[in-house]
Short mmCIF file of all heavy atoms in Angstrom, two decimals:
data_model
loop_
_atom_site.label_atom_id
_atom_site.label_comp_id
_atom_site.label_asym_id
_atom_site.label_seq_id
_atom_site.Cartn_x
_atom_site.Cartn_y
_atom_site.Cartn_z
N GLU A 164 100.25 112.27 99.91
CA GLU A 164 101.40 111.69 99.22
C GLU A 164 101.90 112.60 98.10
O GLU A 164 103.09 112.62 97.78
CB GLU A 164 101.06 110.31 98.67
CG GLU A 164 100.91 109.27 99.74
CD GLU A 164 100.34 107.94 99.22
OE1 GLU A 164 100.15 107.82 98.00
OE2 GLU A 164 100.10 107.06 100.04
N GLU A 165 100.99 113.34 97.50
CA GLU A 165 101.35 114.26 96.42
C GLU A 165 101.90 115.58 96.97
O GLU A 165 102.34 116.43 96.19
CB GLU A 165 100.14 114.53 95.51
CG GLU A 165 99.70 113.34 94.73
CD GLU A 165 98.39 113.55 93.98
OE1 GLU A 165 97.74 114.60 94.19
OE2 GLU A 165 98.02 112.68 93.18
N GLY A 166 101.83 115.79 98.29
CA GLY A 166 102.32 117.02 98.89
C GLY A 166 101.27 118.11 98.97
O GLY A 166 101.58 119.23 99.37
N ASN A 167 100.04 117.80 98.66
CA ASN A 167 98.96 118.78 98.71
C ASN A 167 98.29 118.67 100.10
O ASN A 167 97.25 118.03 100.24
CB ASN A 167 97.95 118.51 97.58
CG ASN A 167 96.90 119.58 97.48
OD1 ASN A 167 96.78 120.44 98.35
ND2 ASN A 167 96.14 119.54 96.39
N TYR A 168 98.90 119.31 101.08
CA TYR A 168 98.46 119.17 102.47
C TYR A 168 97.14 119.89 102.75
O TYR A 168 96.38 119.48 103.61
CB TYR A 168 99.56 119.67 103.43
CG TYR A 168 100.87 118.95 103.21
CD1 TYR A 168 102.00 119.63 102.81
CD2 TYR A 168 100.94 117.58 103.37
CE1 TYR A 168 103.20 118.98 102.60
CE2 TYR A 168 102.15 116.91 103.15
CZ TYR A 168 103.26 117.60 102.77
OH TYR A 168 104.43 116.94 102.56
N VAL A 169 96.84 120.94 102.00
CA VAL A 169 95.60 121.67 102.20
C VAL A 169 94.40 120.78 101.83
O VAL A 169 93.46 120.64 102.60
CB VAL A 169 95.59 122.99 101.39
CG1 VAL A 169 94.23 123.67 101.47
CG2 VAL A 169 96.69 123.92 101.88
N ASP A 170 94.46 120.17 100.64
CA ASP A 170 93.39 119.26 100.22
C ASP A 170 93.33 118.04 101.12
O ASP A 170 92.24 117.55 101.43
CB ASP A 170 93.57 118.84 98.75
CG ASP A 170 93.13 119.90 97.78
OD1 ASP A 170 92.53 120.91 98.23
OD2 ASP A 170 93.38 119.74 96.56
N SER A 171 94.49 117.56 101.53
CA SER A 171 94.53 116.38 102.43
C SER A 171 93.78 116.69 103.72
O SER A 171 92.98 115.88 104.19
CB SER A 171 95.97 116.00 102.72
OG SER A 171 96.01 114.93 103.62
N PHE A 172 94.04 117.88 104.28
CA PHE A 172 93.35 118.27 105.50
C PHE A 172 91.86 118.44 105.27
O PHE A 172 91.04 118.02 106.07
CB PHE A 172 93.95 119.59 106.05
CG PHE A 172 93.32 120.04 107.33
CD1 PHE A 172 93.61 119.42 108.53
CD2 PHE A 172 92.39 121.07 107.33
CE1 PHE A 172 93.02 119.80 109.71
CE2 PHE A 172 91.79 121.48 108.51
CZ PHE A 172 92.10 120.84 109.71
N LYS A 173 91.50 119.00 104.12
CA LYS A 173 90.09 119.22 103.77
C LYS A 173 89.35 117.86 103.70
O LYS A 173 88.28 117.70 104.28
CB LYS A 173 89.99 119.96 102.44
CG LYS A 173 88.55 120.26 101.99
CD LYS A 173 88.52 121.02 100.67
CE LYS A 173 88.73 120.00 99.56
NZ LYS A 173 88.53 120.54 98.22
N TYR A 174 89.94 116.90 102.99
CA TYR A 174 89.31 115.57 102.85
C TYR A 174 89.25 114.84 104.19
O TYR A 174 88.24 114.19 104.51
CB TYR A 174 90.05 114.73 101.82
CG TYR A 174 89.87 115.17 100.40
CD1 TYR A 174 90.95 115.43 99.56
CD2 TYR A 174 88.59 115.31 99.84
CE1 TYR A 174 90.79 115.82 98.24
CE2 TYR A 174 88.41 115.70 98.53
CZ TYR A 174 89.50 115.96 97.74
OH TYR A 174 89.32 116.34 96.44
N SER A 175 90.32 114.94 104.96
CA SER A 175 90.34 114.28 106.27
C SER A 175 89.29 114.85 107.19
O SER A 175 88.61 114.12 107.93
CB SER A 175 91.72 114.40 106.93
OG SER A 175 92.69 113.68 106.20
N SER A 176 89.15 116.18 107.19
CA SER A 176 88.16 116.83 108.04
C SER A 176 86.75 116.42 107.65
O SER A 176 85.89 116.15 108.49
CB SER A 176 88.28 118.35 107.94
OG SER A 176 89.53 118.76 108.39
N LYS A 177 86.50 116.35 106.34
CA LYS A 177 85.18 115.97 105.84
C LYS A 177 84.89 114.50 106.21
O LYS A 177 83.76 114.18 106.63
CB LYS A 177 85.12 116.16 104.33
CG LYS A 177 83.76 115.90 103.73
CD LYS A 177 82.80 116.98 104.08
CE LYS A 177 81.51 116.78 103.29
NZ LYS A 177 80.47 117.71 103.68
N ALA A 178 85.90 113.63 106.11
CA ALA A 178 85.70 112.23 106.49
C ALA A 178 85.40 112.11 107.98
O ALA A 178 84.54 111.31 108.38
CB ALA A 178 86.97 111.42 106.13
N ALA A 179 86.06 112.91 108.78
CA ALA A 179 85.80 112.89 110.24
C ALA A 179 84.36 113.36 110.54
O ALA A 179 83.70 112.80 111.43
CB ALA A 179 86.81 113.79 110.97
N GLU A 180 83.89 114.36 109.81
CA GLU A 180 82.52 114.82 109.99
C GLU A 180 81.51 113.72 109.62
O GLU A 180 80.46 113.63 110.22
CB GLU A 180 82.26 116.05 109.12
CG GLU A 180 82.90 117.31 109.56
CD GLU A 180 82.74 118.44 108.56
OE1 GLU A 180 81.85 118.34 107.68
OE2 GLU A 180 83.51 119.42 108.65
#
Side-chain angles (χ1 to χ4, degrees):
E164 288 171 5
E165 292 172 352
N167 187 349
Y168 303 118
V169 174
D170 281 351
S171 177
F172 182 76
K173 181 179 80 172
Y174 288 126
S175 294
S176 298
K177 185 71 172 175
E180 288 174 16

